Amino acid sequence: MEAVQRRRVTVRGVVQGVGFRPYLYARATGLGLAGHVTNTPEGVVAEVEGAPAAVSRFCEHLAADAPPLAVVDAVDHHEVPVAGGAGFTIIASRTGGPARTLVSPDVATCADCLAELADPADRRHRHPFITCTHCGPRFTIVTGLPYDRAHTTMARFPLCPDCAREYGDPADRRFHAQPVACPACGPRLTLLTGRAGRPPCETPDEDPIAGARRLLAAGAIIAVKGLGGYHLACDATHPGAVAELRRRKARGDKPFALMARDVRDAERYAHIGPEERALLEGGVRPVVLLRRRRGAPDPDGAAPGALAEGVAPRCPDLGVMLPYTPVHHLLLGLPGDPPGPRLLVMTSGNLAGEPIVTDDDEALERLAGLADAWLTHDRPIHVPCDDSVVRVCDGETLTVRRARGYAPLPMTLPVPVPATLAAGGDLKNTFCLGEGHRAWLSAHIGDMDDLATQTALERAEQQLESITGVRPALLVADRHPGYRSARWARRTAGTRPLVRVQHHHAHIASALAEHGLDGGRPVIGVAFDGTGYGDDGAVWGGEVLIADYAGYTRFAHLGYVPLPGGDAAVHRPYRMALAHLRAAGLPRTPDLPCVAACPPDELRVLERQLERGLNCVPTSSMGRLFDAVSSLAGVCHYAGYEAQAAIELEAAALGAGAAGPDYAFGLRVPEHPGSGPVVADPAPLLTAVVADVRAGTDPGLIAAGFHAGVTALVTELCVLARERHGLDTVALTGGVFANTLLSTGCARALRARGFTVLRHGRVPPNDGGLSLGQLMVAAAATPEQHPHHPQRGEVHVPGGTRQSA
């Protein structure tokens, strides 16, 4: 009698809701094996029995041959007693025990579903919720594990006989596709229109999609329910609609994201290389920041009309995405549909500063002053998830905002961490849960100055705990005494220890973790951003730190200048220009654009404020220096959104068409190592900029020269740090390095001098990546600060503990 063997196989990773059980079913039946497979909180568990050679073949290359959406972290198998029986079955999911499987992100509609959507002979023709095992909502509908329909927001929609047959057939593309539905049993799309003084009402005599397309073509603004929240949409080629949306949303000059029907429509307005095309057309479908064309001809003569100027005023980039849900595809039109808008503004459904709206009743209330109509449906969104934002820098993906399509996939950590929750920062907040060699960065939460955003943080954290099984015994927060995220962490910690981590140390640690460095050797960390609380109480932001996970030394920084009025200086860059002029000993005269931009009464008050040092915290911020030069050159005097002055300065430099003047910082280098950090003095650079402004030099050339001057400074400081500390790895981090002109210049110059350069890719360089660094720094703290040695109260990770300069 032929020998028989039975093995139990456990597969961990993103293996639920991605067709893994039917994959194993087909594999087992093809090899003539008996047994079963099921979902568990730990992952997918199968038992296979049969000839030893067939069992071995079943276990070989499981990960390599896995379904396209699966992410296999580990495959474990071992022999178990033979049980007998015939046939291979898929059995009901097992519950109980800690969750250890991974939930898939939401995935754009696949090609097979799109073909069915457009096929009049298919029963799901034009069905707004068409999906299968290879696409559709995942993360935003999951309410628990294991990932079964009962643990999603689809639980309220009983399957019709046809869908139930597909759902139960292992050979079908929709086998155990939890969001599966059809017009007979699935969610229903509704178009609600509002009238003055009346609540929104349904339009029963008109197809919701046709009605929405008609309204958009007429210049209306529509709230569209997506995967992770509501968008506000309007025709991007309708100047009046775009201007009205900007006014209603209190958007200032902040660019809107666009949704194009296909890449050809987007190519009329922006340059699209092969890397950008792959991002636009892939399964994630993020917003891709593209360099916009200026006066370029229509490539094929069939693109939509001229883009409204109000979409992205004075911005060098356009943020473009392609449709990623069936509703989006229908809204932009299938082949043969009547003409309608082919390019839509698609911006988050909220007022400026508020979190994205997900609840339907809340959408009718909070968006009442913003939308003319609501294209909505009755499938609930369990957790908010904004669109991800990426760009291509030197041929590689740079994540600016990590959310839909990427969250909640974990990062693999180079060193194990205890069960920890890191609260992140107050701008572009994300939090991070970690345990062992895994860290789960949350989706983008938002800016913490709004109470609703803080509530969204709390709900998202609870949901992520529930699907990861991490129960944090240690919490981490920024050192800033006024951060709302830190206060939330303090309240949430209760009796658990809370570690406070310096802002720029966390930025550098985030870059190290993303690149898999274990922290055994320090790096030269260049952390440039707008604001971070410093060890001396100043606002840091132009920092060069010698850092590992365990600590840091401040090797160099931008020279201090007063920050007059705090946030007022951030929103009015001319204030920073005037502060820098005073610090540099340069007279302010009416011929300088920054002086002319400052109202006379404010100028008098500002001068007294700077003379007396009233409400003037010192800052070393590189972000604020970008603001100052932007205003000094006459590029941008008022910032209606974060980094507007710097973005417009980059745009001016890109449009210069030539190298700018040679600008250089002064360096004050201590004679003796350990006697203090190197200070980069911007006064010589500003003196040259002022002379060029007065000589009538083109602002674009000044902007180009400034970018080159900052690049030269970074290079000079890193060379000096290598001479003093023998280090040759540089991490470029902080929001300023989202500027690709600067990032590219610095990386090229440093590599030319033999440095290894670490830049962000999967994790944002801005504060959206801060929580990952906080997690790593806390894990490297002394044993007394770990949860196995509980310690109430707050602990500060040391800085400045090594020899400086």
Side-chain angles (χ1 to χ4, degrees):
M1 183 176 177
E2 185 180 5
V4 174
Q5 186 184 70
R6 189 178 185 92
R7 282 191 170 271
R8 176 174 292 151
V9 182
T10 302
V11 188
R12 297 177 178 86
V14 180
V15 290
Q16 295 186 12
V18 294
F20 213 90
R21 287 181 297 172
Y23 159 62
L24 294 186
Y25 174 90
R27 197 177 178 99
T29 54
L31 290 167
L33 297 174
H36 57 79
V37 62
T38 185
N39 279 342
T40 76
E42 191 177 17
V44 170
V45 176
E47 289 192 9
V48 289
E49 183 173 316
V55 170
S56 294
R57 283 199 297 276
F58 177 89
C59 296
E60 291 171 356
H61 311 298
L62 270 182
D65 301 332
L69 297 186
V71 180
V72 177
D73 279 355
V75 178
D76 299 319
H77 52 87
H78 60 274
E79 195 166 345
V80 294
V82 172
F88 191 87
T89 58
I90 299 173
I91 61 177
S93 299
R94 297 207 310 263
T95 58
R100 279 295 180 266
T101 193
L102 305 179
V103 174
S104 168
D106 301 315
V107 183
T109 309
C110 70
D112 288 336
C113 282
L114 283 178
E116 294 170 348
L117 186 71
D119 182 1
D122 194 278
R123 72 186 189 91
R124 291 188 176 86
H125 177 231
R126 302 189 73 86
H127 177 50
F129 306 98
I130 191 168
T131 184
C132 71
T133 308
H134 305 308
C135 67
R138 298 290 192 276
F139 174 53
T140 52
I141 64 170
V142 171
T143 59
L145 289 177
Y147 177 65
D148 283 321
R149 194 177 180 93
H151 296 142
T152 73
T153 60
M154 289 296 293
R156 64 169 65 183
F157 301 100
L159 291 169
C160 70
D162 287 335
C163 286
R165 185 173 58 254
E166 294 170 336
Y167 184 87
D169 181 0
D172 195 279
R173 197 175 89 248
R174 292 185 169 92
F175 175 75
H176 276 252
Q178 309 309 339
V180 69
C182 75
C185 63
R188 191 171 74 93
L189 199 63
T190 304
L191 179 66
L192 303 173
T193 56
R195 297 176 182 173
R198 296 184 182 180
C201 59
E202 189 173 349
T203 54
D205 299 328
E206 186 173 29
D207 172 70
I209 290 292
R213 296 187 76 214
R214 175 181 54 79
L215 289 170
L216 288 167
I221 297 166
I222 299 184
V224 180
K225 188 175 182 181
L227 288 179
Y230 278 80
H231 286 104
L232 291 168
C234 72
D235 183 351
T237 66
H238 192 299
V242 173
E244 181 62 14
L245 176 56
R246 189 171 289 284
R247 184 192 68 79
R248 293 183 190 179
K249 196 171 156 64
R251 182 78 171 186
D253 290 329
K254 188 174 182 180
F256 284 128
L258 299 172
M259 181 174 281
R261 190 168 72 170
D262 56 36
V263 168
R264 288 174 300 172
D265 283 346
E267 279 180 320
R268 182 181 187 193
Y269 309 105
H271 299 277
I272 301 176
E275 296 88 358
E276 286 92 351
R277 180 182 289 270
L279 288 165
L280 286 167
E281 296 182 333
V284 174
R285 299 285 173 104
V287 175
V288 183
L289 298 180
L290 306 169
R291 293 293 188 211
R292 63 193 302 175
R293 294 180 186 270
R294 295 292 184 182
D298 181 348
D300 58 12
L307 189 67
E309 183 58 36
V311 165
R314 299 178 304 282
C315 185
D317 303 314
L318 290 176
V320 180
M321 58 182 158
L322 298 190
Y324 57 85
T325 71
V327 170
H328 295 148
H329 285 281
L330 292 167
L331 201 56
L332 285 161
L334 298 181
D337 279 358
R342 292 166 60 177
L343 190 71
L344 298 175
V345 166
M346 195 70 78
T347 187
S348 55
N350 55 6
L351 272 171
E354 294 182 355
I356 190 170
V357 176
T358 58
D359 179 78
D360 298 329
D361 292 336
E362 193 179 356
L364 295 177
E365 179 182 344
R366 282 177 55 193
L367 304 182
L370 305 179
D372 301 309
W374 289 255
L375 186 61
T376 185
H377 58 78
D378 52 353
R379 183 182 68 204
I381 299 170
H382 185 62
V383 62
C385 198
D386 270 294
D387 295 313
S388 292
V389 180
V390 303
R391 72 181 315 148
V392 173
C393 181
D394 298 333
E396 298 179 348
T397 301
L398 168 63
T399 302
V400 178
R401 182 168 76 190
R402 186 180 185 272
R404 177 187 53 77
Y406 297 109
L409 290 177
M411 306 285 297
T412 300
L413 301 178
V415 293
V417 301
T420 305
L421 166 61
D426 270 19
L427 295 178
K428 296 180 171 61
N429 177 268
T430 67
F431 63 88
C432 189
L433 276 175
E435 185 173 23
H437 283 277
R438 279 187 185 153
W440 286 265
L441 262 174
S442 76
H444 170 82
I445 304 294
D447 295 348
M448 297 296 288
D449 53 359
D450 188 273
L451 183 59
T453 309
Q454 297 172 45
T455 302
L457 165 64
E458 190 156 334
R459 289 176 55 195
E461 193 279 327
Q462 292 169 356
Q463 193 250 8
L464 197 56
E465 276 197 34
S466 73
I467 66 173
T468 62
V470 175
R471 300 293 179 260
L474 174 70
L475 279 83
V476 199
D478 194 274
R479 279 191 193 168
H480 196 298
Y483 267 14
R484 294 171 178 85
S485 55
R487 290 203 292 267
W488 175 83
R490 177 67 278 164
R491 292 193 304 271
T492 303
T495 58
R496 294 173 290 181
L498 174 66
V499 174
R500 303 294 287 262
V501 174
Q502 201 280 325
H503 190 91
H504 302 97
H505 186 196
H507 269 310
I508 296 164
S510 176
L512 299 187
E514 179 178 352
H515 285 273
L517 273 66
D518 64 8
R521 180 172 169 79
V523 301
I524 304 166
V526 182
F528 286 174
D529 62 5
T531 301
Y533 188 73
D535 295 341
D536 54 2
V539 176
W540 288 9
E543 312 305 311
V544 179
L545 308 182
I546 306 300
D548 53 25
Y549 298 129
Y552 62 92
T553 295
R554 194 183 195 194
F555 175 78
H557 63 86
L558 196 61
Y560 284 138
V561 297
L563 182 66
D567 284 346
V570 176
H571 299 302
R572 285 172 265 177
Y574 60 78
R575 293 176 72 98
M576 280 313 305
L578 293 167
H580 266 285
L581 287 176
R582 182 180 180 85
L586 297 169
R588 59 98 181 153
T589 53
D591 59 324
L592 295 177
C594 57
V595 177
C598 185
D601 290 344
E602 183 180 350
L603 182 58
R604 285 191 290 272
V605 172
L606 183 60
E607 285 183 333
R608 288 198 298 272
Q609 188 177 3
L610 291 169
E611 286 171 5
R612 300 173 185 177
L614 298 174
N615 196 18
C616 287
V617 178
T619 181
S620 61
S621 168
M622 182 59 78
R624 299 290 78 83
L625 180 60
F626 268 79
D627 292 351
V629 173
S630 188
S631 179
L632 186 57
V635 173
C636 179
H637 303 301
Y638 294 89
Y641 61 93
E642 185 190 4
Q644 178 178 351
I647 288 170
E648 293 186 8
L649 190 68
E650 181 188 10
L654 290 167
D662 289 330
Y663 296 143
F665 291 78
L667 287 189
R668 298 198 294 270
V669 182
E671 289 186 23
H672 305 291
S675 59
V678 176
V679 176
D681 182 6
L685 180 145
L686 294 169
T687 301
V689 168
V690 167
D692 283 339
V693 170
R694 290 186 170 131
T697 302
D698 182 83
L701 291 175
I702 293 173
F706 174 70
H707 280 78
V710 176
T711 299
L713 172 68
V714 170
T715 307
E716 187 175 4
L717 290 175
C718 290
V719 168
L720 186 58
R722 178 168 60 186
E723 291 172 357
R724 299 240 170 154
H725 294 278
L727 303 173
D728 55 9
T729 298
V730 177
L732 302 178
T733 186
V736 169
F737 283 107
N739 178 322
T740 56
L741 183 61
L742 180 68
S743 179
T744 296
C746 288
R748 184 179 297 129
L750 289 167
R751 287 170 180 151
R753 286 159 180 79
F755 287 98
T756 297
V757 180
L758 310 178
R759 291 189 290 179
H760 289 276
R762 294 171 296 154
V763 177
N766 56 44
D767 284 6
L770 200 67
S771 56
L772 175 63
Q774 291 174 342
L775 181 87
M776 299 303 296
V777 171
T782 58
E784 290 76 17
Q785 294 161 12
H786 280 183
H788 355 298
H789 303 276
Q791 172 176 335
R792 296 185 61 176
E794 297 183 7
V795 176
H796 289 251
V797 175
T801 54
R802 301 186 190 85
Q803 187 181 65
S804 65

